[in-house]
Amino acid sequence: MSQRIGKIWGTTEPLLVTPMIEVHRIKVKPRMKCSIHQHERKWNMFYCVNGIIQIHNRKKSYDLVDVTTLAPSQYTSVNPGEYHWFETQLNDAEVLEIYYLEPITEDIVRETVGGLV
């Protein structure tokens, strides 16, 4: 059974922790935000379950902070090495926060294209 960990902005609860992927359920109170931070090697994905949450992402490739507002069933990812934070406005939010090392959809390296035998 996982344990909820109290944060100034709400709670985080690890649901799955492996060397390659982590899934946490976070609950963010109204008008709260987390620290501005980055992950050196991990991607950080946010999937909104309930409420509305904003993901602020300071892009490395240009001088701008992207703000993505997520409603239920919407998601976004932050690249490794990019400073980011999340915040709520008048509502609370429940979000799945997923950490992963590399996009698993891009892990295949083909030596041939296949075809008839």
Side-chain angles (χ1 to χ4, degrees):
M1 179 176 224
S2 60
Q3 178 181 345
R4 285 193 189 121
I5 300 164
K7 301 280 190 171
I8 193 165
W9 45 260
T11 60
T12 183
E13 179 183 5
L15 302 177
L16 172 69
V17 177
T18 75
M20 299 300 287
I21 189 169
E22 291 186 26
V23 180
H24 297 241
R25 178 182 14 243
I26 62 173
K27 294 185 178 180
V28 186
K29 297 183 271 188
R31 295 185 178 176
M32 297 300 286
K33 67 178 182 177
C34 71
S35 64
I36 299 172
H37 65 283
Q38 68 170 320
H39 304 279
E40 291 181 354
R41 291 174 288 282
K42 294 187 283 188
W43 289 73
N44 198 180
M45 177 188 203
F46 299 91
Y47 176 89
C48 186
V49 177
N50 287 308
I52 304 288
I53 193 161
Q54 291 182 330
I55 310 302
H56 297 250
N57 184 6
R58 191 181 309 151
K59 301 301 288 179
K60 287 172 65 172
S61 55
Y62 51 91
D63 187 26
L64 181 67
V65 174
D66 282 342
V67 179
T68 303
T69 301
L70 300 178
S73 300
Q74 295 179 327
Y75 65 92
T76 191
S77 288
V78 176
N79 296 346
E82 292 182 340
Y83 281 95
H84 61 282
W85 66 96
F86 55 77
E87 60 184 60
T88 54
Q89 300 301 317
L90 299 176
N91 62 289
D92 59 351
E94 180 179 347
V95 177
L96 294 179
E97 186 174 23
I98 303 164
Y99 303 102
Y100 57 99
L101 293 178
E102 290 293 330
I104 59 174
T105 57
E106 299 175 14
D107 76 335
I108 190 166
V109 177
R110 298 183 195 283
E111 186 175 283
T112 66
V113 296
L116 292 174
V117 179

